[in-house]
């Protein structure tokens, strides 16, 4: 069944991408090479989309924009016609039914490329595959010269799981609309179809709520480390939702509660059991805050927030957090969930929550998100047995905020180090005791941002682990093989270089990089706690280093800010 993995492997240990076809990630269900069926794009190539389908047209425009930018060709988009089938066709007819809701077929001929699907989501996925079949220069932001030939192939492809997600924490460090769009672009490339936004936490509230304005004006005014924070206005948020939708990505907004709520409690004294607002927090402790479960106002607050959020949310899910509620008793937690879950339902949405919600009596359409490092959880097992679907994001397999190894300067490590191979070699369908494949909704890779400030930081932690987890979510279990994957992943590097992505050159991957073969980049030499005097560059031991603090606190005997500095190494 799998032509791709078998037929195309290069030497497992040799450096560089595999020979033959471009390396596809995630690996399709079947790829057949067709000699003589290569298609060369030129100045006359157009995109033809299923006549009468606005959705297919949008996918066609998306592809044409990418092609125009890099090739400089005009790439007109028009309705498909039965009499002229040359060029790139995106059709919603005659796909093999095996492709289902999200899959596609892609066939080349000397006259063109035809992508067929049952729905526009499948066309969009087929377009992502086409991008990887073209030379890496297709990702160029400016017009480039390249041999724009698509190899001769016949591909049939569809996902193992329908829900493939990334999470971005915009609460610990605020990430503005531009960062989020950038992340959406990177995720879409790997057929991710959900973006979970962690919108609120102890350090900041990032989504405008008209009925409780201080949540953002005050509760959004800082972040980890004490920077200025920020928040999304409703228009900002709509812009994100729309941008994601154009890339067939559904946004799942999260309001984390009853814990992780210091920013809300700091903004409104009356939400606190004792009526006293705590100060804003900029450290990275967890487990100390809780909404006041006995207070009637708490549920008016939650109802207002969920109502306004539901209005902004075209997708089916609202994520209510529920993790690490260490400052809430178990009884209070269960009581809180029994009141909050119906509020979500009354607003026409389904509940998602971190797996702790499964310790309470959740409805079967609520989705617990498994984030533990263990492989068993009684509540999750029981929920699955009652028919609930589970979203899989085990921290030791999928957490993009975690250090790759001891030399990684960014990131946390409470779940251990998470190297690329760790993110690949696990099976969502057998990972949790008593939770079988049929109970798995899908897979998510979360990026918490206690230490993640810039898009460079995001890229470094997400690449190459995001594509790895994306393949875990897309590719059929029996087709996945680490030795094959590491070669295909190496083949992606050429695309990332054109995109100027700041990816981590994991020593586990045979990167085809002549300039920087593995091991030639200097490892970061040190990190140290230093008194911070301001500015971005600090002199240390007579040398200048790019430096960033990632946490801030009161250090006895100093009056200034302080933080952990790092040498970022060099190539
Ligand atoms: C645990 S994972 C958390 C977050 C932290 C993260 C850091 C989860 C549901 N809660 O509050 O940001 O670890 O890795």
């Amino acid at each position: 069944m799998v032509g791709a993995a078998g037929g195309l492997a290069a030497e497992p240990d040799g450096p560089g991408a595999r020979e033959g076809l471009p390396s596809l990630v995630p690996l399709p269900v079947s790829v057949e090479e067709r000699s003589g069926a290569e298609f060369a794009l030129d100045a006359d190539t157009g995109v033809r989309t299923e006549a009468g389908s606005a959705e297919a047209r949008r996918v066609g425009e998306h592809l044409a924009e990418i092609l125009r930018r890099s090739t400089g060709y005009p790439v007109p988009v028009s309705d498909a016609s039965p009499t002229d089938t040359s060029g790139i066709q995106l059709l919603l007819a005659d796909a093999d039914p095996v492709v289902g809701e999200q899959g596609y077929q892609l066939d080349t001929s000397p006259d063109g490329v035809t992508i067929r699907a049952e729905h526009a989501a499948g066309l969009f996925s087929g377009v992502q595959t086409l991008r990887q079949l073209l030379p890496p220069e297709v990702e160029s932001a400016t017009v480039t010269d390249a041999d724009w030939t698509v190899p001769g192939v016949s591909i049939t492809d569809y996902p193992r799981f329908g829900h493939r997600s990334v999470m971005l924490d915009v609460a610990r460090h605020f990430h503005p609309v531009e960062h989020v769009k950038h992340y959406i672009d990177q995720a879409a490339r790997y057929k991710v179809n959900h973006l979970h936004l962690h919108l609120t936490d102890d350090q900041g509230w990032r989504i405008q709520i008209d009925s409780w304005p201080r949540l953002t004006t005050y509760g959004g005014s800082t972040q980890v480390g004490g920077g200025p924070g920020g928040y999304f206005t409703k228009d900002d948020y709509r812009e994100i939702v729309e941008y994601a939708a154009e890339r067939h990505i559904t946004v799942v907004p999260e309001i984390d509660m009853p814990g992780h709520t210091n920013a809300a409690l700091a903004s409104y004294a009356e939400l606190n059991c004792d009526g006293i607002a705590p100060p804003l927090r900029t450290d990275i402790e967890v487990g100390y805050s809780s909404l006041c479960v006995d207070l009637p106002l708490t549920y008016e607050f939650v109802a207002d927030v969920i109502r306004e959020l539901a209005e902004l949310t075209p997708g089916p899910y609202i994520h209510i957090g529920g993790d690490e509620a260490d400052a809430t008793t178990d009884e209070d937690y269960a009581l809180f969930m029994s009141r909050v879950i119906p509020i979500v339902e009354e607003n026409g949405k389904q509940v998602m929550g971190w797996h702790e919600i499964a310790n309470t009596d959740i409805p079967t359409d609520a989705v617990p998100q498994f984030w533990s490092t263990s492989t068993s959880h009684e509540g999750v097992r029981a929920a699955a047995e009652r028919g609930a679907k589970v979203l899989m994001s085990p921290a030791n397999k999928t957490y993009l905020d975690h250090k790759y190894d001891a030399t990684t300067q960014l990131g946390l490590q409470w779940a251990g180090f998470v190297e690329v191979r760790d993110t690949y070699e696990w099976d969502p369908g057998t990972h949790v005791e008593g939770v079988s494949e049929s109970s798995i909704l899908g897979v998510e890779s979360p990026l918490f941002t206690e230490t993640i400030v810039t898009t460079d930081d995001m890229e470094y932690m997400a690449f190459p682990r995001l594509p790895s987890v994306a393949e875990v979510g897309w590719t059929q279990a029996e087709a996945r093989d680490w030795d094959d994957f590491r070669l295909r992943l190496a083949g992606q590097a050429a695309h990332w270089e054109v995109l100027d992505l700041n990816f981590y050159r994991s020593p586990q991957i045979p990167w085809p990089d002549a300039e920087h073969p593995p091991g030639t980049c200097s490892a970061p030499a040190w990190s140290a706690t230093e008194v911070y005097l301001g500015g971005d560059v600090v002199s240390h031991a007579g040398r200048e280093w790019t430096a960033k603090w990632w946490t801030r606190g009161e250090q006895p005997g100093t009056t200034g800010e302080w933080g952990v500095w790092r040498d970022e190494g060099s190539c």
Side-chain angles (χ1 to χ4, degrees), residues 318-521:
I318 286 187
H319 199 301
I320 57 173
D323 59 314
E324 299 174 317
D326 303 338
T328 320
T329 65
D330 290 351
E331 276 174 349
D332 275 359
Y333 184 88
L335 180 63
F336 179 81
M337 288 301 167
S338 74
R339 299 208 45 189
V340 166
I341 289 171
I343 295 174
V344 175
E345 292 173 330
E346 280 155 25
N347 282 279
K349 299 296 173 187
Q350 265 173 270
V351 166
M352 235 183 221
W354 298 105
H355 68 236
E356 288 97 323
I357 67 164
N359 295 331
T360 76
D361 190 15
I362 55 171
T364 52
D365 74 345
V367 176
Q369 179 173 357
F370 184 84
W371 62 277
S372 174
T373 56
S374 110
T375 54
S376 62
H377 187 279
E378 181 42 33
V380 171
R381 191 205 57 74
E385 191 177 284
R386 291 196 308 272
K389 301 275 189 210
V390 180
L391 181 60
M392 292 296 294
S393 59
N396 52 338
K397 304 292 177 188
T398 67
Y399 269 33
L400 305 182
D401 72 318
H402 269 49
K403 291 177 185 295
Y404 292 95
D405 65 20
T407 69
T408 315
Q409 296 294 297
L410 294 169
L412 305 181
Q413 61 184 88
W414 62 261
F417 298 128
V418 181
E419 249 292 2
V420 185
R421 188 168 187 162
D422 300 310
T423 64
Y424 193 75
E425 290 195 308
W426 65 287
D427 182 5
T430 56
H431 190 76
V432 183
E433 249 169 65
V435 181
S436 61
E437 173 110 11
S438 60
S439 299
I440 303 299
L441 179 74
V443 179
E444 175 175 295
S445 44
L447 181 55
F448 285 104
T449 60
E450 282 93 335
T451 69
I452 310 301
V453 183
T454 63
T455 50
D456 265 8
D457 294 347
M458 290 162 70
E459 291 168 5
Y460 189 78
M461 300 308 264
F463 284 85
R465 293 182 291 195
L466 184 158
S468 173
V469 180
E471 176 153 317
V472 173
W474 179 279
T475 301
Q476 310 301 314
E478 62 281 7
R480 290 206 290 118
D481 171 66
W482 166 253
D483 285 327
D484 175 65
F485 176 68
R486 59 198 281 278
L487 296 175
R488 283 185 289 110
L489 196 61
Q492 294 291 300
H495 292 253
W496 301 340
E497 271 164 13
V498 175
L499 287 163
D500 202 20
L501 283 190
N502 180 35
F503 65 97
Y504 165 61
R505 287 167 190 280
S506 166
Q508 299 181 333
I509 308 300
W511 306 109
D513 183 344
E515 218 181 307
H516 310 120
T520 60
C521 294

Side-chain angles (χ1 to χ4, degrees), residues 145-184:
D145 235 0
D147 173 5
W148 303 113
T149 299
V150 184
V153 281
S154 182
I155 295 176
T156 302
D157 196 16
Y158 48 88
R160 177 178 178 193
F161 298 109
H163 192 112
R164 301 168 306 280
S165 176
V166 292
M167 187 215 81
L168 181 63
D169 169 10
V170 294
R172 267 50 176 275
H173 279 99
F174 179 60
H175 291 275
V177 173
E178 288 314 311
H179 285 204
V180 180
K181 286 183 174 176
H182 179 69
Y183 206 55
I184 288 171

Side-chain angles (χ1 to χ4, degrees), residues 241-260:
V241 168
E242 175 63 17
Y243 191 85
E246 276 168 17
R247 286 149 188 81
H248 288 268
I249 288 180
T250 303
V251 176
V252 179
E254 177 187 352
I255 303 294
D256 201 349
M257 49 194 172
H260 291 276

